[in-house]
Short mmCIF file of all heavy atoms in Angstrom, two decimals:
data_model
loop_
_atom_site.label_atom_id
_atom_site.label_comp_id
_atom_site.label_asym_id
_atom_site.label_seq_id
_atom_site.Cartn_x
_atom_site.Cartn_y
_atom_site.Cartn_z
N LYS V 230 21.05 -48.66 -25.59
CA LYS V 230 19.86 -49.50 -25.68
C LYS V 230 18.63 -48.75 -25.16
O LYS V 230 17.54 -48.86 -25.73
CB LYS V 230 20.09 -50.78 -24.88
CG LYS V 230 18.97 -51.80 -25.03
CD LYS V 230 19.28 -53.06 -24.22
CE LYS V 230 20.46 -53.80 -24.80
NZ LYS V 230 20.68 -55.10 -24.10
N GLU V 231 18.81 -47.98 -24.07
CA GLU V 231 17.70 -47.20 -23.53
C GLU V 231 17.25 -46.14 -24.52
O GLU V 231 16.04 -45.92 -24.71
CB GLU V 231 18.10 -46.56 -22.20
CG GLU V 231 18.24 -47.54 -21.05
CD GLU V 231 16.93 -48.17 -20.65
OE1 GLU V 231 15.89 -47.51 -20.84
OE2 GLU V 231 16.94 -49.31 -20.17
N ARG V 232 18.24 -45.45 -25.19
CA ARG V 232 17.87 -44.43 -26.18
C ARG V 232 17.12 -45.06 -27.35
O ARG V 232 16.14 -44.50 -27.84
CB ARG V 232 19.13 -43.71 -26.67
CG ARG V 232 19.74 -42.76 -25.65
CD ARG V 232 20.74 -41.84 -26.32
NE ARG V 232 21.83 -42.58 -26.92
CZ ARG V 232 22.97 -42.86 -26.30
NH1 ARG V 232 23.15 -42.46 -25.04
NH2 ARG V 232 23.94 -43.51 -26.91
N GLU V 233 17.60 -46.21 -27.82
CA GLU V 233 16.92 -46.88 -28.93
C GLU V 233 15.51 -47.31 -28.54
O GLU V 233 14.58 -47.21 -29.34
CB GLU V 233 17.74 -48.09 -29.38
CG GLU V 233 19.06 -47.73 -30.04
CD GLU V 233 19.88 -48.96 -30.39
OE1 GLU V 233 19.48 -50.07 -29.96
OE2 GLU V 233 20.91 -48.81 -31.08
N LYS V 234 15.36 -47.76 -27.29
CA LYS V 234 14.04 -48.17 -26.82
C LYS V 234 13.09 -46.97 -26.75
O LYS V 234 11.94 -47.05 -27.21
CB LYS V 234 14.18 -48.82 -25.44
CG LYS V 234 12.86 -49.33 -24.87
CD LYS V 234 13.08 -49.98 -23.52
CE LYS V 234 11.76 -50.47 -22.93
NZ LYS V 234 11.97 -51.09 -21.59
N LEU V 235 13.58 -45.85 -26.22
CA LEU V 235 12.74 -44.65 -26.14
C LEU V 235 12.39 -44.13 -27.53
O LEU V 235 11.25 -43.70 -27.78
CB LEU V 235 13.47 -43.57 -25.33
CG LEU V 235 13.65 -43.85 -23.84
CD1 LEU V 235 14.48 -42.75 -23.19
CD2 LEU V 235 12.31 -43.97 -23.14
N LEU V 236 13.37 -44.16 -28.46
CA LEU V 236 13.10 -43.70 -29.82
C LEU V 236 12.06 -44.60 -30.49
O LEU V 236 11.16 -44.11 -31.18
CB LEU V 236 14.40 -43.70 -30.62
CG LEU V 236 14.28 -43.28 -32.09
CD1 LEU V 236 13.73 -41.86 -32.20
CD2 LEU V 236 15.63 -43.37 -32.79
N GLN V 237 12.18 -45.91 -30.30
CA GLN V 237 11.21 -46.84 -30.88
C GLN V 237 9.82 -46.60 -30.31
O GLN V 237 8.82 -46.63 -31.04
CB GLN V 237 11.67 -48.27 -30.64
CG GLN V 237 10.79 -49.32 -31.31
CD GLN V 237 10.78 -49.20 -32.82
OE1 GLN V 237 11.77 -48.78 -33.41
NE2 GLN V 237 9.68 -49.57 -33.43
N GLN V 238 9.74 -46.36 -29.00
CA GLN V 238 8.45 -46.07 -28.38
C GLN V 238 7.85 -44.78 -28.94
O GLN V 238 6.64 -44.72 -29.19
CB GLN V 238 8.61 -45.98 -26.87
CG GLN V 238 8.91 -47.30 -26.19
CD GLN V 238 9.14 -47.15 -24.70
OE1 GLN V 238 9.22 -46.02 -24.18
NE2 GLN V 238 9.25 -48.25 -23.98
N LYS V 239 8.70 -43.78 -29.15
CA LYS V 239 8.22 -42.51 -29.71
C LYS V 239 7.71 -42.71 -31.13
O LYS V 239 6.67 -42.17 -31.52
CB LYS V 239 9.33 -41.47 -29.68
CG LYS V 239 8.90 -40.10 -30.18
CD LYS V 239 10.04 -39.12 -30.10
CE LYS V 239 9.59 -37.74 -30.55
NZ LYS V 239 9.10 -37.76 -31.95
N LEU V 240 8.47 -43.48 -31.94
CA LEU V 240 8.04 -43.73 -33.31
C LEU V 240 6.71 -44.50 -33.34
O LEU V 240 5.83 -44.20 -34.16
CB LEU V 240 9.13 -44.51 -34.06
CG LEU V 240 10.43 -43.75 -34.33
CD1 LEU V 240 11.45 -44.67 -34.98
CD2 LEU V 240 10.18 -42.53 -35.21
N GLU V 241 6.58 -45.48 -32.47
CA GLU V 241 5.33 -46.24 -32.42
C GLU V 241 4.17 -45.34 -31.99
O GLU V 241 3.07 -45.43 -32.55
CB GLU V 241 5.48 -47.42 -31.46
CG GLU V 241 6.43 -48.50 -31.95
CD GLU V 241 6.60 -49.61 -30.94
OE1 GLU V 241 5.99 -49.52 -29.85
OE2 GLU V 241 7.33 -50.58 -31.24
N MET V 242 4.41 -44.49 -31.00
CA MET V 242 3.36 -43.58 -30.55
C MET V 242 2.97 -42.60 -31.65
O MET V 242 1.78 -42.38 -31.92
CB MET V 242 3.82 -42.83 -29.30
CG MET V 242 2.74 -41.95 -28.69
SD MET V 242 1.31 -42.90 -28.12
CE MET V 242 2.06 -43.82 -26.79
N ASP V 243 3.96 -42.01 -32.34
CA ASP V 243 3.67 -41.10 -33.45
C ASP V 243 2.91 -41.81 -34.56
O ASP V 243 2.01 -41.24 -35.19
CB ASP V 243 4.96 -40.50 -33.99
CG ASP V 243 5.59 -39.52 -33.01
OD1 ASP V 243 4.88 -39.12 -32.05
OD2 ASP V 243 6.77 -39.16 -33.18
N SER V 244 3.30 -43.07 -34.82
CA SER V 244 2.62 -43.83 -35.88
C SER V 244 1.17 -44.10 -35.52
O SER V 244 0.29 -44.03 -36.38
CB SER V 244 3.37 -45.13 -36.13
OG SER V 244 2.71 -45.91 -37.10
N LYS V 245 0.90 -44.39 -34.23
CA LYS V 245 -0.48 -44.64 -33.82
C LYS V 245 -1.31 -43.36 -33.85
O LYS V 245 -2.49 -43.40 -34.18
CB LYS V 245 -0.48 -45.24 -32.41
CG LYS V 245 0.07 -46.65 -32.34
CD LYS V 245 0.10 -47.16 -30.91
CE LYS V 245 0.69 -48.57 -30.83
NZ LYS V 245 0.77 -49.06 -29.44
N LEU V 246 -0.70 -42.25 -33.49
CA LEU V 246 -1.45 -40.99 -33.42
C LEU V 246 -1.62 -40.33 -34.78
O LEU V 246 -2.69 -39.82 -35.10
CB LEU V 246 -0.75 -40.03 -32.46
CG LEU V 246 -0.77 -40.42 -30.98
CD1 LEU V 246 0.07 -39.44 -30.18
CD2 LEU V 246 -2.19 -40.46 -30.46
N PHE V 247 -0.56 -40.34 -35.60
CA PHE V 247 -0.56 -39.56 -36.84
C PHE V 247 -0.38 -40.39 -38.10
O PHE V 247 -0.25 -39.86 -39.19
CB PHE V 247 0.55 -38.49 -36.78
CG PHE V 247 0.46 -37.62 -35.58
CD1 PHE V 247 1.33 -37.80 -34.51
CD2 PHE V 247 -0.50 -36.63 -35.48
CE1 PHE V 247 1.25 -37.00 -33.38
CE2 PHE V 247 -0.59 -35.84 -34.35
CZ PHE V 247 0.29 -36.02 -33.30
N GLY V 248 -0.33 -41.73 -37.97
CA GLY V 248 -0.15 -42.56 -39.14
C GLY V 248 1.31 -42.87 -39.39
O GLY V 248 2.22 -42.29 -38.79
N ASP V 249 1.51 -43.80 -40.32
CA ASP V 249 2.87 -44.22 -40.66
C ASP V 249 3.56 -43.12 -41.44
O ASP V 249 3.11 -42.75 -42.53
CB ASP V 249 2.81 -45.50 -41.49
CG ASP V 249 4.18 -46.12 -41.67
OD1 ASP V 249 5.16 -45.48 -41.24
OD2 ASP V 249 4.28 -47.22 -42.23
N PRO V 250 4.67 -42.54 -40.94
CA PRO V 250 5.34 -41.46 -41.67
C PRO V 250 5.93 -41.91 -43.00
O PRO V 250 6.10 -41.12 -43.90
CB PRO V 250 6.44 -40.99 -40.70
CG PRO V 250 6.66 -42.17 -39.80
CD PRO V 250 5.34 -42.86 -39.68
#
Side-chain angles (χ1 to χ4, degrees):
K230 186 179 293 186
E231 289 293 331
R232 287 195 299 268
E233 291 176 352
K234 182 179 179 181
L235 292 176
L236 178 60
Q237 184 63 31
Q238 290 177 351
K239 183 179 182 300
L240 292 176
E241 291 177 359
M242 185 62 67
D243 290 346
S244 178
K245 291 177 182 178
L246 292 175
F247 306 104
D249 190 353

